[in-house]
Amino acid sequence: MAEFVTAVAHSNIALAKYWGKRQVQGNLPAVGSLSMTLSGLYTRTSVRLNPSLNQHTIWVVDAEAPNAFAERSKHFIDTVRQMVDSDAYVEVRTENTFPTGAGLASSASGFAALALATTEAYGVKLSPRELSGLARTGSGSASRSLFGGFVEWHRGALEDGSDSVAEPIAGPDHWDVRMLVVITSEAEKQHSSTDGMNLTRDTSPYYDAWLSTSPQTLKDMKAAVLARNFDRVGELTESSCLQMHAVMLSARPGLLYWNPATVALIHAVRAERAAGLGCYFTIDAGPQVKILCRPEHVERLRERIENVPGVIRILEAAPGPDARVERA
Ligand code: PMV
């Protein structure tokens, strides 16, 4: 039997957010986005062809069964299988170093690692750009997890999506900043982001405003990251996050991803900032709060927020590396 191929991909957090699809098929985004890849928070996925199987077997370590990621993975693997016109099914073992499905972008690192490991296992050679486009079809934000450092995912305009791929704008060594990931719930999220995005597009009176303001935010964010302008990046990060949550909240029924601890953390971050500590929050489709800060402020900030009611634990990440295949 073939050997397992193992790939590792890191999670990413958008500083300029993606919300909304210009086409659901292939996860083509309505807006471009920009993220930071996270060191320490990653998915490790091993794949091998197994001729004795008559369907794919997916084992998600520590996941509750049935697992939504496992089901989506099967369709994803079939697209790769069709590329090479193979009859072979695969065995997959995948493991996250952080909670699955709670707004922590586990589908981003998950589909990026799966794209890399599956193409290697089937012997398909793709460029990083093509791998990013493939990962996007599993989960939009996965397109960004192929690359380390600071990454832009282009909206693109082509119907086949071939121009909607991510590319690194600066590597992990460009800027020594930190992202604290504050966990306030370890429950699986209730709605898929696709359902949330469709509901927002179909019912929010503010959706067009979100589409028209996002490109400028992205442009400003890119310039601020390249200039390492911390306060500018922080201000744009909070603004993009709050604009995204405003459009989510204005759907009918409104999408509210926050819990009381999420709100308490927003206030805590702003209070620390008023007291002179440079820190800025961002929140995705879940209740966790991610805080952008400088390395020298991590300890002080941890002390201030660990006692906020509802905080379960705090993870810390620096800009992380590219996705890669691990050779035994
Ligand atoms: O890639 P998805 O379908 O998990 O969508 C993620 C969208 C947000 O995390 C809310 C924002 C983003 O740009 O990552």
Side-chain angles (χ1 to χ4, degrees), residues 182-247:
V182 188
I183 312 284
T184 66
S185 164
E186 297 194 299
E188 290 261 343
K189 75 176 168 198
Q190 290 160 353
H191 312 281
S192 80
S193 53
T194 299
D195 290 347
M197 290 181 199
N198 288 344
L199 181 74
T200 308
R201 180 200 58 210
D202 293 343
T203 65
S204 168
Y206 305 151
Y207 189 62
D208 287 344
W210 163 252
L211 298 186
S212 64
T213 54
S214 294
Q216 189 61 45
T217 310
L218 174 62
K219 204 169 159 213
D220 294 346
M221 180 67 81
K222 187 173 176 181
V225 167
L226 290 174
R228 300 188 195 90
N229 184 337
F230 185 80
D231 289 313
R232 177 84 173 135
V233 169
E235 193 276 320
L236 287 163
T237 297
E238 277 194 10
S239 173
S240 175
C241 161
L242 291 174
Q243 287 189 42
M244 178 181 77
H245 284 275
V247 77

Side-chain angles (χ1 to χ4, degrees), residues 14 17-19 107 139-141 144 193 197 244 284-285:
K17 300 293 188 193
Y18 144 61
W19 192 254
S107 64
S139 173
S141 53
R144 301 186 307 236
S193 53
M197 290 181 199
M244 178 181 77
D284 293 292

